[in-house]
Amino acid sequence: MLDWLDYRKQLLGRIGEIGKLSPDTVAGYQTLSRAAQKTGKLDAKTRELIALAVAVTTRCDGCITVHTGEALKHGASHEEIAEALGVAIALNAGAALVYSARVMDAVSAHEAGS
């Protein structure tokens, strides 16, 4: 497993380097991130739990380390985090099932076109 705290530190350093080389890219990302926090409809803990579930589905280690820290900071319990991850697991399984159906559709199309 990763040393998540060291990884976060290294990652943020590299993102700082990207910011120096391509400031508009990082500024654009920061604008999107701030906009998602300004809606006022979801509390910070709920947003972070959603972020963790999305981090799992997009396989983003950087997102995992950043949003784990933020979720804990906003009072998320281990049980709440596990429940959010359960949603991500179910969606990933669902997506695999949907894409399996697409494969079977492709099989039918290829057989009909042969």
Side-chain angles (χ1 to χ4, degrees):
M1 291 300 216
L2 289 176
D3 178 339
W4 290 99
L5 300 179
D6 186 54
Y7 174 66
R8 179 180 176 160
K9 182 179 169 183
Q10 290 178 34
L11 177 65
L12 294 177
R14 291 290 183 199
I15 290 171
E17 291 173 16
I18 293 169
K20 289 176 185 171
L21 296 169
S22 184
D24 289 344
T25 299
V26 175
Y29 167 78
Q30 290 171 331
T31 298
L32 286 171
S33 184
R34 281 190 303 271
Q37 297 172 10
K38 290 183 180 180
T39 64
K41 305 299 181 202
L42 298 173
D43 64 18
K45 180 174 75 171
T46 301
R47 282 194 306 273
E48 294 303 331
L49 291 169
I50 292 168
L52 284 173
V54 172
V56 167
T57 62
T58 58
R59 297 173 183 93
C60 178
D61 284 340
C63 301
I64 289 171
T65 190
V66 168
H67 293 289
T68 296
E70 290 300 307
L72 292 170
K73 182 173 91 176
H74 291 293
S77 68
H78 288 224
E79 293 80 9
E80 289 170 320
I81 292 170
E83 188 170 325
L85 298 177
V87 173
I89 292 165
L91 285 177
N92 278 326
L97 184 58
V98 168
Y99 272 81
S100 294
R102 291 173 65 88
V103 168
M104 296 310 295
D105 190 50
V107 168
S108 295
H110 279 271
E111 289 176 340
S114 296

